[in-house]
Amino acid sequence: VRASLNWPSQSTILQQQFNRTGKAEHGSVALPAVMRSGSSGPETFNVGSMPSPQQQVMVGQMHRGHMPPLTSAQQALMGTINTSMHAVQQAQDDLSELDSLPPLGQDMASRVWVQNKVDESKHEIHSQVDAITAGTASVVNLTAGDPADTDYTAVGCAITTISSNLTEMSKGVKLLAALMDDEVGSGEDLLRAARTLAGAVSDLLKAVQPTSGEPRQTVLTAAGSIGQASGDLLRQIGENETDERFQDVLMSLAKAVANAAAMLVLKAKNVAQVAEDTVLQNRVIAAATQCALSTSQLVACAKVVSPTISSPVCQEQLIEAGKLVDRSVENCVRACQAATTDSELLKQVSAAASVVSQALHDLLQHVRQFASRGEPIGRYDQATDTIMCVTESIFSSMGDAGEMVRQARVLAQATSDLVNAMRSDAEAEIDMENSKKLLAAAKLLADSTARMVEAAKGAAANPENEDQQQRLREAAEGLRVATNAAAQNAIKKKIVNRLEVAAKQAAAAATQTIAASQNAAVSNKNPAAQQQLVQSCKAVADHIPQLVQGVRGSQAQAEDLSAQLALIISSQNFLQPGSKMVSSAKAAVPTVSDQAAAMQLSQCAKNLATSLAELRTASQKAHEACGPMEIDSALNTVQTLKNELQDAKMAAVESQLKPLPGETLEKCAQDLGSTSKAVGSSMAQLLTCAAQGNEHYTGVAARETAQALKTLAQAARGVAASTTDPAAAHAMLDSARDVMEGSAMLIQEAKQALIAPGDAESQQRLAQVAKAVSHSLNNCVNCLPGQKDVDVALKSIGESSKKLLVDSLPPSTKPFQEAQSELNQAAADLNQSAGEVVHATRGQSGELAAASGKFSDDFDEFLDAGIEMAGQAQTKEDQIQVIGNLKNISMASSKLLLAAKSLSVDPGAPNAKNLLAAAARAVTESINQLITLCTQQAPGQKECDNALRELETVKGMLDNPNEPVSDLSYFDCIESVMENSKVLGESMAGISQNAKTGDLPAQHTHDAITEAAQLMKEAVDDIMVTLNEAASEVGLVGGMVDAIAEAMSKLDEGTPPEPKGTFVDYQTTVVKYSKAIAVTAQEMMTKSVTNPEELGGLASQMTSDYGHLALQGQMAAATAEPEEIGFQIRTRVQDLGHGCIFLVQKAGALQVCPTDSYTKKELIECARAVTEKVSLVLWALQAGNKGTQACITAATAVSGIIADLDTTIMFATAGTLNAENSETFADHRENILKTAKALVEDTKLLVSGAASTPDKLAQAAQSSAATITQLAEVVKLGAASLGSDDPETQVVLINAIKDVAKALSDLISATKGAASKPADDPSMYQLKGAAKVMVTNVTSLLKTVKAVEDEATRGTRALEATIECIKQELTVFQSKDVPEKTSSPEESIRMTKGITMATAKAVAAGNSCRQEDVIATANLSRKAVSDMLTACKQASFHPDVSEEVRTRALRFGTECTLGYLDLLEHVLVILQKPTPELKQQLAAFSKRVAGAVTELIQAAEAMKGTEWVDPEDPTVIAETELLGAAASIEAAAKKLEQLKPRAKPKQADETLDFEEQILEAAKSIAAATSALVKSASAAQRELVAQGKVGSIPANAADDGQWSQGLISAARMVAAATSSLCEAANASVQGHASEEKLISSAKQVAASTAQLLVACKVKADQDSEAMRRLQVMVTDAGGKILLLERAAGNAVKRASDNLVRAAQKAAFGKADDDDVVVKTKFVGGIAQIIAAQEEMLKKERELEEARKKLAQIRQQQYKFLPTELREDEG
């Protein structure tokens, strides 16, 4: 670049220097001055003006003494560069010598192979050079700016791309150099060019090292050398497809940009001279310098990529460099405008900038023109494109007559131009036939245009007439068809050209992805993902050659239909493996630890996906355009194959036929055998389609036949070239040529048959030709090595068997014992030979030949021995029997050899191995029958001999356990082996027993028999253990099915056990287990799609639940009145059992074959059936007692509300509960009070309903659940309106409603228990107690609501509510109810810490008397005491805890709580009358609590037992767990990214929107939770670094509690998010309910809130880490607490959106009374519920219904995301 900062005539190298800012250093500036002369002697400096221009020359490197230390990103880049340098050095070493190839023949096939290999190598080298130059340009662009702003990962990715492609390129260059032996020394020249390129790459890597300190120009020079070397290498291989003129223009345009930039720099210098402000002057100079630098980079980039400018990635890099220049020009202009107001100077700057921009535009336009250029299409192209576009516009403008007419005018002009062009071409055409065709097409087009013009006039005259518009549309369609016909060749050529480009780009992108995959292998931490990627790369690598050959063939023979079809087919075949590789690459990216390699793989996969999309479109269009030409193309292909085989025969005659590299006799023989079947099946399809006259499918069959014949011809040539027998080689080639000749005739006849479908003579000829081809094909297969030997053996057996055809046999001359012994020996030999034949089919062809010969010989000997034995027969009948058996053996032997022959030809043929095994067994069995006949005189001997022979036969099967021997499934096999193992054990015991007790002369064998029997028993036991293990691993369902069936059978037992409870008790448990089964069914439905391997555990759970259900159902049926209800319950439970059995069986089947879509579909249907049957069970229970059933349903709803409130409390505690708008608490107060009073009324109805009718009780239960739901919502809104700045008051309010909900839950339970009981029943007293608590808690809520805005009393009110709550908790603790689950003593000890903290807080609040402290104490106390009591009771009831320790622990739990209650009540007294004396008493109260806590801890220590070991310090693993959780969430989010809503018939818009809402909301939850867990990880790291968290024994319990909370919370978030993603996936695909989705979203919200609280425990608001994180909020992630709040809010908002979206959809399915109180299942029970709701609906007043509807709409509207709301305008 000539940059004129000084004089226009001088050239200056501009070296930009960047210094990182650091801290100031202390020191003295009073240093002795040193005067040095400049490079050209003393200089004169003038004040007030710029000095005269000078030239500064600096040689060498910059001083590195004060270079800052490398950042972690720079260190990573250094590692990448070092690795790449090793790879480059290895490549240079590899390129030092030529590869040696095996000797190749000169026949046509060899020449074609060489040409194809050359083409493939050239393509790969070109693709790799493209990537190297693009990577180099990327390095130049990325390293252009300040090192602090450089993306070092991207630089590393570019360097990795360069080195990995250079490594792959070196292999291709060596192969190509070995193949380029036609020119002397050309291979050496190619290697030299490749070494030069490797050297240039090495120089670049050295220059870009962060520690090199090289001037920028060194990098640019090295990059330029790579461009030069790349061009030389491409010229060496003849691949410099970019013409020299284009490159010259490119470089001249780049230099024009540089010259224009130099002028701009000069004008900027003028501005700098007049600038008065030094800062502004320096900015101008810096901007001008940057402008010159970016221009020099552009020129360097152009030099690098010009040899490979055809590559899109290279064009992209050049355009990127251009953008950098554009930005620097803009910056320069802005700096000049800021520095001066001199309009003349600014005008000059602006003009110079415009020149730069124009030059840059010209350069980029030149590049873009090349990118879009193709082969010249013809003069019709533009007119045709216009016609196609305008007709589309006419079609889309239907209804707008004016627009249609306007477009019609444009269309008329375009067709007029096309007609004129065609007529002028016709006049210039020499060939009269072509001239006539052109004129005819032009006339057709002109006529169509005239019709279109008439229609347009009609539409213009009658703009409102739809018929006229339709006529215009039809006329436009006719014109479009005429245009296609007229310009068909031009269009077709354009489409084929597009396909050629797309195929080249796809092949190049695939090559790049393969290189990236190999580079990523070292750092991929997931071997399974890497293995899958390797497999997909191999599949693609096998398809790339066909694609490259297709492109080359199409380009070389532009008019050849066969070449175009070959390209289309190879493109279509490439799509599937290519797509699979993209998926594998994307799946592998997250587990590649090397960031640069991961980025390279990700980018390559993305590029490949884009290329495949273009290839798919282009191949489809080309296939449509090229029309039905498969039959002609197939004929050409077969004719070419015939010629190649003829050429191979001539080479074989001259002993010049050589196998191609990679070909072996065994491989080619196998290929030929398997392909012969494919040829046969495709020919059969060809015959069928031709006979039916189906042209399309006949073409497809012809194409497939030609492809199969191509493989057959290659295999036949390979066999002939590899065999050492010249006669066999000639026979093989002749027979293969006969196949080709017959096939060509067959395809020709099929073509004729299409012309005259149904013609009898044509059909007959077709059948004759097909028969001849089949005969030729058999001959070809029989020429395979080993096949002839089998034929000889078959012939020998046939000849030998003729001995059996005589009328009578001569009497035997040998003694009976000798004849029998010889027969036994011959039988054993023949049996062994049969086994060897079976074994030989798996080996080489020579083995089968030897085994067949031996079998034939042994058969001869056995036949002779058998005839000798027949001569021993006493009667004619016995002799006839022996001869009959010998004939059977002869037939079985022939079948064995035929089966062996068939299998050796095609080892992969379906069922071939089974047929061979069956044939071998038939030989053994027929031998046994003969021996049995001949040895009837010795009892027991024949059975033992037969058994031994059979064992010998089947023993061979165990050598190859991977091959199937029957049609049984895996499960059937296991069950069969289990059954037979039992029989085997019993049989061996029988043999042992009978051998000892029988009157046998061989007494000495008894001990041996006993020992063998014992060994056999152990073996059988061993196999049973192994089988049981295998069964459990794959979820063998036989045992589960038996367990369910057994549970079902118990339901039918006449006398059930004596009931210990009432119907209501059993009703409750049946509902619990029924719902558990339904939930499991839903889960199985989801897992069948996502994780089939987990189905076994779910099936086991379902089996267990059904066992409990059947038992409880039997008791419910026994206690139900009337008996009909009991019968119905029993029947429904049994029906459910059948459904469970079917579902469990399908789960087992799907585990064996997880990809079987049919089984998956069946499983989903079975799961739905189970859900339906559960609803029928619930319906039957409801018939038993409708009121109690409604209570159970309501209790479920209330428990959900309590869980939701717990989550809300955690969000409030974390400070993330914010109002959706600017509402105040006053806006909600009245609504809360009104709803609370309504709840009191419902409570009264509920209590009275216990003694009333079931209908009234049901109504009361439903109403109370609906009201509590509404009350919880309004209280939550009220709490949110208080603002997150006052979280403690929010928690007080939510705790109050939570107390009400818990009291209501207890009341519903008590009501259910007291239903239909007499007034003096104990359950009635429980009901009254529960009602009293309910009233107390509602009153407490009302007081809290009234006091919440009164700062003077709200603390006192909160404390009163807490005291009441703790008393109620203590009552539950002291009850005799056993907790549902148990916990560890450690958990109990951990929870006492909360009591200690709460005690300290209470004492502080008592001393300060501040309401804020009191509120905080109230909230903390409630949670601390509740957690302590729960943990204490759960730990006490652990099965390992003794009664004494349990009693002690429960006593001190109570004592601790009572002491704490006294403390709180004392604080309450102090608040009302704060005196110093009362405050002094606080210490005594706190000591009492502390004493009880100490006793409680000692009791918990006693629970641990003697073997208890202290768990590992959990802090160390916290961060790992958190990062693992984040990774889990991100994996789930990635799964969501791939989701699309299921395709289904069009339904209501709201439902369709709902699915999109589900996906968007679920994605946002995944993203938000991922951010949250990562921030928690950052918190852990910071706190460990500060020493706040560590493995210090002194505070191990403290940190452990926090760490464990963080770990478990992170795990919960990860698990919940993963579950949510599965539910979203299943829901949008129709496999799961909205209820499941809602519960999943709520679980995410709950676990997230838990994580927020866990993180907040240790956070230091004022620490340096916190301040630093606060700065990060704006650009990197934020202060921990703020980030948690933001992420927490995002999760809460996203969860709410998802819940509401799902509920909105569920709202449409359930009736509106059941919106709140609904079971999870809307199957058969929905009809009854709907009817009841209809009754209730009619009883309400119309006005109330309208108001409620309006409220619902307002609420829904308010919670909708902004983008889903309707336009308010």
PDB file of all heavy atoms in Angstrom, residues 1333 1364-1377 1429 1433 1457:
ATOM      1  N   VAL A1333     -59.699 -24.863  63.925  1.00  0.00           N
ATOM      2  CA  VAL A1333     -58.387 -24.403  63.425  1.00  0.00           C
ATOM      3  C   VAL A1333     -58.570 -23.592  62.150  1.00  0.00           C
ATOM      4  O   VAL A1333     -57.930 -22.554  61.941  1.00  0.00           O
ATOM      5  CB  VAL A1333     -57.459 -25.612  63.163  1.00  0.00           C
ATOM      6  CG1 VAL A1333     -56.182 -25.164  62.450  1.00  0.00           C
ATOM      7  CG2 VAL A1333     -57.124 -26.312  64.464  1.00  0.00           C
ATOM      8  N   GLU A1364     -49.208 -19.176  66.598  1.00  0.00           N
ATOM      9  CA  GLU A1364     -50.344 -20.068  66.344  1.00  0.00           C
ATOM     10  C   GLU A1364     -49.957 -21.201  65.401  1.00  0.00           C
ATOM     11  O   GLU A1364     -50.302 -22.369  65.593  1.00  0.00           O
ATOM     12  CB  GLU A1364     -51.502 -19.264  65.750  1.00  0.00           C
ATOM     13  CG  GLU A1364     -52.764 -20.080  65.491  1.00  0.00           C
ATOM     14  CD  GLU A1364     -53.331 -20.735  66.745  1.00  0.00           C
ATOM     15  OE1 GLU A1364     -53.289 -20.104  67.840  1.00  0.00           O
ATOM     16  OE2 GLU A1364     -53.788 -21.878  66.653  1.00  0.00           O
ATOM     17  N   CYS A1365     -49.182 -20.859  64.371  1.00  0.00           N
ATOM     18  CA  CYS A1365     -48.744 -21.865  63.392  1.00  0.00           C
ATOM     19  C   CYS A1365     -47.850 -22.917  64.031  1.00  0.00           C
ATOM     20  O   CYS A1365     -48.000 -24.115  63.789  1.00  0.00           O
ATOM     21  CB  CYS A1365     -47.997 -21.161  62.254  1.00  0.00           C
ATOM     22  SG  CYS A1365     -47.252 -22.295  61.083  1.00  0.00           S
ATOM     23  N   ILE A1366     -46.929 -22.449  64.898  1.00  0.00           N
ATOM     24  CA  ILE A1366     -46.016 -23.399  65.555  1.00  0.00           C
ATOM     25  C   ILE A1366     -46.802 -24.332  66.478  1.00  0.00           C
ATOM     26  O   ILE A1366     -46.514 -25.539  66.561  1.00  0.00           O
ATOM     27  CB  ILE A1366     -44.917 -22.638  66.328  1.00  0.00           C
ATOM     28  CG1 ILE A1366     -43.955 -21.950  65.332  1.00  0.00           C
ATOM     29  CG2 ILE A1366     -44.131 -23.579  67.236  1.00  0.00           C
ATOM     30  CD1 ILE A1366     -42.919 -21.059  65.980  1.00  0.00           C
ATOM     31  N   LYS A1367     -47.808 -23.808  67.144  1.00  0.00           N
ATOM     32  CA  LYS A1367     -48.640 -24.666  68.000  1.00  0.00           C
ATOM     33  C   LYS A1367     -49.322 -25.758  67.175  1.00  0.00           C
ATOM     34  O   LYS A1367     -49.389 -26.923  67.581  1.00  0.00           O
ATOM     35  CB  LYS A1367     -49.685 -23.813  68.734  1.00  0.00           C
ATOM     36  CG  LYS A1367     -49.107 -22.974  69.875  1.00  0.00           C
ATOM     37  CD  LYS A1367     -50.182 -22.114  70.528  1.00  0.00           C
ATOM     38  CE  LYS A1367     -49.595 -21.289  71.684  1.00  0.00           C
ATOM     39  NZ  LYS A1367     -50.590 -20.367  72.271  1.00  0.00           N
ATOM     40  N   GLN A1368     -49.822 -25.371  66.003  1.00  0.00           N
ATOM     41  CA  GLN A1368     -50.470 -26.363  65.134  1.00  0.00           C
ATOM     42  C   GLN A1368     -49.452 -27.392  64.627  1.00  0.00           C
ATOM     43  O   GLN A1368     -49.750 -28.589  64.548  1.00  0.00           O
ATOM     44  CB  GLN A1368     -51.154 -25.653  63.964  1.00  0.00           C
ATOM     45  CG  GLN A1368     -52.361 -24.824  64.395  1.00  0.00           C
ATOM     46  CD  GLN A1368     -52.914 -23.962  63.274  1.00  0.00           C
ATOM     47  OE1 GLN A1368     -52.574 -24.165  62.116  1.00  0.00           O
ATOM     48  NE2 GLN A1368     -53.770 -23.005  63.621  1.00  0.00           N
ATOM     49  N   GLU A1369     -48.246 -26.934  64.293  1.00  0.00           N
ATOM     50  CA  GLU A1369     -47.189 -27.862  63.852  1.00  0.00           C
ATOM     51  C   GLU A1369     -46.840 -28.836  64.965  1.00  0.00           C
ATOM     52  O   GLU A1369     -46.617 -30.028  64.729  1.00  0.00           O
ATOM     53  CB  GLU A1369     -45.934 -27.078  63.431  1.00  0.00           C
ATOM     54  CG  GLU A1369     -46.082 -26.236  62.184  1.00  0.00           C
ATOM     55  CD  GLU A1369     -45.820 -27.026  60.911  1.00  0.00           C
ATOM     56  OE1 GLU A1369     -45.560 -28.234  61.005  1.00  0.00           O
ATOM     57  OE2 GLU A1369     -45.889 -26.424  59.831  1.00  0.00           O
ATOM     58  N   LEU A1370     -46.795 -28.329  66.194  1.00  0.00           N
ATOM     59  CA  LEU A1370     -46.463 -29.183  67.338  1.00  0.00           C
ATOM     60  C   LEU A1370     -47.545 -30.241  67.544  1.00  0.00           C
ATOM     61  O   LEU A1370     -47.240 -31.397  67.876  1.00  0.00           O
ATOM     62  CB  LEU A1370     -46.299 -28.320  68.591  1.00  0.00           C
ATOM     63  CG  LEU A1370     -45.850 -29.066  69.858  1.00  0.00           C
ATOM     64  CD1 LEU A1370     -44.501 -29.738  69.639  1.00  0.00           C
ATOM     65  CD2 LEU A1370     -45.760 -28.112  71.045  1.00  0.00           C
ATOM     66  N   THR A1371     -48.804 -29.874  67.327  1.00  0.00           N
ATOM     67  CA  THR A1371     -49.900 -30.847  67.455  1.00  0.00           C
ATOM     68  C   THR A1371     -49.701 -32.001  66.459  1.00  0.00           C
ATOM     69  O   THR A1371     -49.873 -33.180  66.805  1.00  0.00           O
ATOM     70  CB  THR A1371     -51.250 -30.154  67.169  1.00  0.00           C
ATOM     71  OG1 THR A1371     -51.378 -29.044  68.058  1.00  0.00           O
ATOM     72  CG2 THR A1371     -52.404 -31.113  67.386  1.00  0.00           C
ATOM     73  N   VAL A1372     -49.355 -31.645  65.228  1.00  0.00           N
ATOM     74  CA  VAL A1372     -49.095 -32.678  64.221  1.00  0.00           C
ATOM     75  C   VAL A1372     -47.904 -33.538  64.635  1.00  0.00           C
ATOM     76  O   VAL A1372     -47.920 -34.774  64.516  1.00  0.00           O
ATOM     77  CB  VAL A1372     -48.829 -32.017  62.840  1.00  0.00           C
ATOM     78  CG1 VAL A1372     -48.403 -33.060  61.833  1.00  0.00           C
ATOM     79  CG2 VAL A1372     -50.054 -31.265  62.360  1.00  0.00           C
ATOM     80  N   PHE A1373     -46.854 -32.893  65.160  1.00  0.00           N
ATOM     81  CA  PHE A1373     -45.646 -33.612  65.576  1.00  0.00           C
ATOM     82  C   PHE A1373     -45.958 -34.608  66.683  1.00  0.00           C
ATOM     83  O   PHE A1373     -45.431 -35.730  66.714  1.00  0.00           O
ATOM     84  CB  PHE A1373     -44.607 -32.577  66.041  1.00  0.00           C
ATOM     85  CG  PHE A1373     -43.310 -33.179  66.543  1.00  0.00           C
ATOM     86  CD1 PHE A1373     -42.364 -33.652  65.648  1.00  0.00           C
ATOM     87  CD2 PHE A1373     -43.038 -33.269  67.908  1.00  0.00           C
ATOM     88  CE1 PHE A1373     -41.167 -34.199  66.104  1.00  0.00           C
ATOM     89  CE2 PHE A1373     -41.860 -33.810  68.366  1.00  0.00           C
ATOM     90  CZ  PHE A1373     -40.912 -34.281  67.464  1.00  0.00           C
ATOM     91  N   GLN A1374     -46.844 -34.214  67.595  1.00  0.00           N
ATOM     92  CA  GLN A1374     -47.155 -35.074  68.745  1.00  0.00           C
ATOM     93  C   GLN A1374     -48.177 -36.158  68.411  1.00  0.00           C
ATOM     94  O   GLN A1374     -48.389 -37.062  69.212  1.00  0.00           O
ATOM     95  CB  GLN A1374     -47.690 -34.198  69.902  1.00  0.00           C
ATOM     96  CG  GLN A1374     -46.595 -33.308  70.496  1.00  0.00           C
ATOM     97  CD  GLN A1374     -47.151 -32.337  71.516  1.00  0.00           C
ATOM     98  OE1 GLN A1374     -48.282 -31.877  71.400  1.00  0.00           O
ATOM     99  NE2 GLN A1374     -46.347 -32.034  72.555  1.00  0.00           N
ATOM    100  N   SER A1375     -48.796 -36.061  67.225  1.00  0.00           N
ATOM    101  CA  SER A1375     -49.753 -37.104  66.848  1.00  0.00           C
ATOM    102  C   SER A1375     -49.018 -38.425  66.607  1.00  0.00           C
ATOM    103  O   SER A1375     -47.807 -38.449  66.427  1.00  0.00           O
ATOM    104  CB  SER A1375     -50.504 -36.700  65.585  1.00  0.00           C
ATOM    105  OG  SER A1375     -49.634 -36.735  64.476  1.00  0.00           O
ATOM    106  N   LYS A1376     -49.771 -39.513  66.591  1.00  0.00           N
ATOM    107  CA  LYS A1376     -49.145 -40.831  66.441  1.00  0.00           C
ATOM    108  C   LYS A1376     -48.960 -41.240  64.982  1.00  0.00           C
ATOM    109  O   LYS A1376     -48.557 -42.363  64.695  1.00  0.00           O
ATOM    110  CB  LYS A1376     -49.996 -41.884  67.166  1.00  0.00           C
ATOM    111  CG  LYS A1376     -50.011 -41.666  68.676  1.00  0.00           C
ATOM    112  CD  LYS A1376     -50.784 -42.758  69.397  1.00  0.00           C
ATOM    113  CE  LYS A1376     -50.768 -42.533  70.901  1.00  0.00           C
ATOM    114  NZ  LYS A1376     -51.531 -43.563  71.619  1.00  0.00           N
ATOM    115  N   ASP A1377     -49.273 -40.331  64.069  1.00  0.00           N
ATOM    116  CA  ASP A1377     -49.126 -40.655  62.646  1.00  0.00           C
ATOM    117  C   ASP A1377     -47.647 -40.866  62.301  1.00  0.00           C
ATOM    118  O   ASP A1377     -46.783 -40.059  62.677  1.00  0.00           O
ATOM    119  CB  ASP A1377     -49.665 -39.505  61.772  1.00  0.00           C
ATOM    120  CG  ASP A1377     -51.160 -39.299  61.999  1.00  0.00           C
ATOM    121  OD1 ASP A1377     -51.804 -40.260  62.439  1.00  0.00           O
ATOM    122  OD2 ASP A1377     -51.648 -38.191  61.744  1.00  0.00           O
ATOM    123  N   LEU A1429     -38.945 -29.923  63.288  1.00  0.00           N
ATOM    124  CA  LEU A1429     -39.914 -30.944  63.704  1.00  0.00           C
ATOM    125  C   LEU A1429     -40.045 -32.040  62.642  1.00  0.00           C
ATOM    126  O   LEU A1429     -40.090 -33.231  62.967  1.00  0.00           O
ATOM    127  CB  LEU A1429     -41.280 -30.301  63.966  1.00  0.00           C
ATOM    128  CG  LEU A1429     -41.366 -29.394  65.201  1.00  0.00           C
ATOM    129  CD1 LEU A1429     -42.726 -28.728  65.292  1.00  0.00           C
ATOM    130  CD2 LEU A1429     -41.097 -30.181  66.485  1.00  0.00           C
ATOM    131  N   LYS A1433     -38.866 -35.907  63.383  1.00  0.00           N
ATOM    132  CA  LYS A1433     -39.812 -37.034  63.351  1.00  0.00           C
ATOM    133  C   LYS A1433     -39.410 -38.056  62.293  1.00  0.00           C
ATOM    134  O   LYS A1433     -39.461 -39.271  62.532  1.00  0.00           O
ATOM    135  CB  LYS A1433     -41.218 -36.514  63.073  1.00  0.00           C
ATOM    136  CG  LYS A1433     -42.305 -37.562  63.316  1.00  0.00           C
ATOM    137  CD  LYS A1433     -43.683 -36.963  63.472  1.00  0.00           C
ATOM    138  CE  LYS A1433     -44.708 -38.014  63.882  1.00  0.00           C
ATOM    139  NZ  LYS A1433     -46.048 -37.463  64.094  1.00  0.00           N
ATOM    140  N   THR A1457     -39.449 -27.125  71.046  1.00  0.00           N
ATOM    141  CA  THR A1457     -40.512 -26.299  70.459  1.00  0.00           C
ATOM    142  C   THR A1457     -41.231 -25.503  71.538  1.00  0.00           C
ATOM    143  O   THR A1457     -41.514 -24.300  71.366  1.00  0.00           O
ATOM    144  CB  THR A1457     -41.514 -27.188  69.709  1.00  0.00           C
ATOM    145  OG1 THR A1457     -40.799 -28.022  68.787  1.00  0.00           O
ATOM    146  CG2 THR A1457     -42.515 -26.357  68.939  1.00  0.00           C
TER     147      THR A1457
END
